[in-house]
């Protein structure tokens, strides 16, 4: 049987990419989740939907201790900067 935690992670990582828009406090909660798969899914979400006001959150994720999260978050930072034409 699958644990509640694994099921929660599965649901978040599956449906997050399909979400139209997330509120700021929801993004912060996901960015600070203990499960790196959730943080990685959020970084991918930020990369796919680059917004200048998410740059600080993407920068925070880019410094994540888990390489899967930080790698995807660096891509999100680049996408945000490109779309917003912000200097590095």
């Amino acid at each position: 049987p699958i644990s509640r935690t694994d099921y929660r992670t599965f649901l978040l990582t599956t449906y997050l990419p399909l979400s139209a828009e997330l509120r700021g406090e929801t993004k912060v909660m996901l960015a600070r989740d203990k499960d790196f798969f959730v943080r990685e899914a959020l970084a991918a979400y930020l990369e796919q939907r680059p917004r200048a006001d998410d740059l600080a959150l993407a920068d925070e994720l880019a410094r994540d201790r888990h390489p899967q999260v930080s790698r995807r978050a660096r891509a999100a930072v680049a996408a945000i900067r490109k779309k917003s034409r912000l200097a590095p």
Side-chain angles (χ1 to χ4, degrees):
I2 189 167
S3 74
R4 269 186 88 116
T5 302
D6 289 343
Y7 187 64
R8 176 189 153 284
T9 299
F10 167 76
L11 289 174
L12 282 169
T13 58
T14 300
Y15 290 106
L16 186 60
L18 304 174
S19 299
E21 184 59 42
L22 296 175
R23 294 170 44 179
E25 56 269 13
T26 302
K27 292 178 201 175
V28 170
M29 179 186 66
L30 294 171
R32 301 199 175 129
D33 196 273
K34 64 181 179 178
D35 190 317
F36 79 89
F37 286 119
V38 173
R39 297 189 312 272
E40 180 186 21
L42 177 63
Y45 175 90
L46 296 176
E47 181 185 5
Q48 295 301 314
R49 294 162 188 80
R51 297 179 45 175
D53 51 338
D54 289 329
L55 182 59
L57 195 57
D59 273 330
E60 179 183 322
L61 288 167
R63 294 186 301 274
D64 194 278
R65 69 185 183 285
H66 201 286
Q68 278 179 235
V69 177
S70 61
R71 186 173 29 252
R72 197 66 191 252
R74 286 192 303 274
V77 168
I80 292 167
R81 289 184 193 279
K82 181 178 180 182
K83 183 172 182 185
S84 305
R85 302 189 198 300
L86 298 171

